[in-house]
Amino acid sequence: MTVYYTKEHEWLRVEGDVAIVGITAHAAEELGELVFVEAKDEGTEVAQGDSAAVVESVKAASDIYAPVSGTVVGFNTALSDDPSLVNRDPEAEGWILKLRIADAGQLAALLDADGYAALIG
């Protein structure tokens, strides 16, 4: 299963025509303990680079940007009760939202694991 990364510290894993999206371990560490996570409503269309979700930590609030254009088709409801799940397991159980991909060609512009590792140095 291929995982892609953005320069804004989101990751996405593609399953069929759906992207599972979250923030990287690096981003989770930088933000500190999350106290609130909210995604756009299901059915909302977002363009690549648009805000698709918001996370709030004890330090700051940050937008989570859509790594590809698509339609929001799911939210990790476990985060409503336990937003710190993102801190504990950011790149698996702490996923934030699911997007139905509108243009799979946009994936080519994203980073692979090596490219992301080089970005955060």
Side-chain angles (χ1 to χ4, degrees), residues 1-114:
M1 193 172 315
T2 306
V3 179
Y4 299 90
Y5 298 88
T6 71
K7 291 179 176 146
E8 292 76 31
H9 310 290
E10 290 92 16
W11 60 265
L12 72 120
R13 191 170 61 236
V14 178
E15 294 181 357
D17 66 345
V18 173
I20 299 168
V21 180
I23 62 172
T24 63
H26 175 79
E29 189 175 309
E30 291 290 309
L31 284 167
E33 184 178 347
L34 295 185
V35 295
F36 180 76
V37 180
E38 181 178 68
K40 299 279 186 191
D41 291 336
E42 286 187 29
T44 302
E45 291 186 20
V46 291
Q48 186 177 35
D50 284 357
S51 176
V54 174
V55 295
E56 290 181 20
S57 71
V58 290
K59 294 183 188 176
S62 296
D63 285 321
I64 305 304
Y65 301 103
V68 293
S69 298
T71 304
V72 177
V73 294
F75 172 67
N76 186 350
T77 56
L79 302 181
S80 297
D81 295 328
D82 187 8
S84 67
L85 181 58
V86 174
N87 297 100
R88 293 193 308 276
D89 196 5
E91 296 186 34
E93 294 299 313
W95 64 273
I96 296 172
L97 68 133
K98 293 182 180 183
L99 286 174
R100 184 162 320 283
I101 300 169
D103 179 2
Q106 292 176 333
L107 295 169
L110 301 177
L111 301 169
D112 61 12
D114 290 341

